[in-house]
Amino acid sequence: MLRSIEQMMRLYGSSMVLVNSTGEHSVRAFLQETHSRSLDGIRRDIAALGEVPKGIYVYIGPASPAAQKGDLLYFMDKTYEFRRTEQVTAADQQLYCWGLCARKGDHTWGS
């Protein structure tokens, strides 16, 4: 399963730079803003890992290097700050990193 996820990120992910305590790392990952124009978008979204506020970006990236709260992500001339991260595992193996990011300097979601 890990190879399939890594291949999907390599083929379909975008090039980004993750900056954490160990330095700068080039990664291929997915970043998607959470928004909806339907009536359901007016209601708060509750996902398995908690509430997903609007104006927040969902990150799916490699298990290593893993993003941590406070790390920075550079993508398409914009800077994002990780506000929450989780390691997704299966069969005792880390498969990928899931995270929520906000544009750096955007204070619509409390730190």
Side-chain angles (χ1 to χ4, degrees), residues 6-26:
E6 288 174 340
Q7 182 179 19
M8 184 173 51
M9 284 186 211
R10 189 172 47 254
L11 292 174
Y12 303 111
S14 297
S15 294
M16 302 177 198
V17 176
L18 172 66
V19 180
N20 63 17
S21 61
T22 63
E24 292 186 6
H25 308 275
S26 295

Side-chain angles (χ1 to χ4, degrees), residues 64-78:
S64 181
Q68 300 293 322
K69 181 178 179 180
D71 289 351
L72 298 178
L73 184 69
Y74 295 97
F75 177 57
M76 297 184 72
D77 297 327
K78 293 181 178 66

Side-chain angles (χ1 to χ4, degrees), residues 21-42:
S21 61
T22 63
E24 292 186 6
H25 308 275
S26 295
V27 297
R28 292 198 63 85
F30 299 97
L31 189 69
Q32 176 69 46
E33 184 176 14
T34 63
H35 62 277
S36 173
R37 295 190 180 147
S38 68
L39 179 61
D40 291 335
I42 296 171

